[in-house]
Amino acid sequence: MATPPRTAIALAPMTDDHASAVMAIYQQGIDEGNATFETAAPPWSAFDTSKLPAHRLVALDPRRRVVGWTAVSRVSARPAYAGVVEHSVYVRPTARGAGVGRALLEALIGSTEKAGIWTIQAGIFPENAASLALHESVGFRVLGRRERVARHHGVWRDVLLVERRSPVVE
């Protein structure tokens, strides 16, 4: 598959107006089989309440269509973990390779650092080489492998735990 040309994208806060496009992109990632243990995108209301409002972004193409998104959720309600979040980033298949994922992650890093968040983490299937390379390119590192952590369509799957520690937050 040829790499799509880099196109100008705009980043914007994710709103209810983006719900159907965000959920469609999420479902595409789910359907591909190497993005998440989920088997179906949740209803928007559940997604919306589970993500921190200040750190939800969409990438818009020149025609203002959503081509990617990123969002974070708390890893714990305990005060000691107030600066630790788990993130997701998804890009429409036709927009991959054009810098959308990188732009989203760089903006997410900026917004979380401004808010005093010191760790962004995620679990990535080892087979998802493109996601691992993207995360490494913006400063994430693999901490370890969680072996056979859960079943996905009846098959035990491993997950690589990745994190980015902020050099800015003290």
Side-chain angles (χ1 to χ4, degrees):
M1 177 183 222
T3 301
R6 293 200 180 270
T7 57
I9 61 159
L11 300 181
M14 184 188 297
T15 68
D16 291 345
D17 292 339
H18 303 120
S20 62
V22 167
M23 293 294 97
I25 293 168
Y26 193 11
Q27 189 62 52
Q28 287 173 322
I30 290 168
D31 292 344
E32 289 175 335
N34 281 326
T36 179
F37 283 105
E38 300 298 332
T39 56
W44 173 254
S45 59
F47 178 91
D48 185 44
T49 59
S50 70
K51 306 301 181 195
L52 298 178
H55 310 291
R56 301 185 318 175
L57 299 165
V58 292
L60 305 169
D61 71 8
R63 292 171 52 187
R64 306 297 290 169
R65 294 177 301 191
V66 177
V67 294
W69 61 269
T70 189
V72 302
S73 55
R74 297 183 194 281
V75 299
S76 174
R78 295 171 60 193
Y81 291 97
V84 183
V85 295
E86 183 172 21
H87 84 287
S88 298
V89 60
Y90 284 79
V91 176
R92 183 179 303 282
T94 57
R96 292 182 189 151
V100 174
R102 184 179 185 92
L104 285 164
L105 283 180
E106 287 175 346
L108 179 68
I109 289 165
S111 78
T112 56
E113 285 186 345
K114 283 181 187 174
I117 292 171
W118 58 83
T119 301
I120 306 170
Q121 68 181 36
I124 301 175
F125 290 133
E127 297 83 2
N128 196 340
S131 183
L132 289 167
L134 168 63
H135 283 82
E136 183 178 280
S137 77
V138 294
F140 284 78
R141 64 188 176 112
V142 174
L143 293 180
R145 179 183 292 254
R146 299 180 71 198
E147 295 178 354
R148 296 171 45 97
V149 71
R151 289 182 189 256
H152 184 238
H153 299 294
V155 177
W156 286 105
R157 299 286 300 263
D158 294 357
V159 170
L160 299 177
L161 178 60
V162 300
E163 78 167 16
R164 183 185 183 281
R165 302 296 298 263
S166 173
V168 176
V169 180
E170 296 180 11

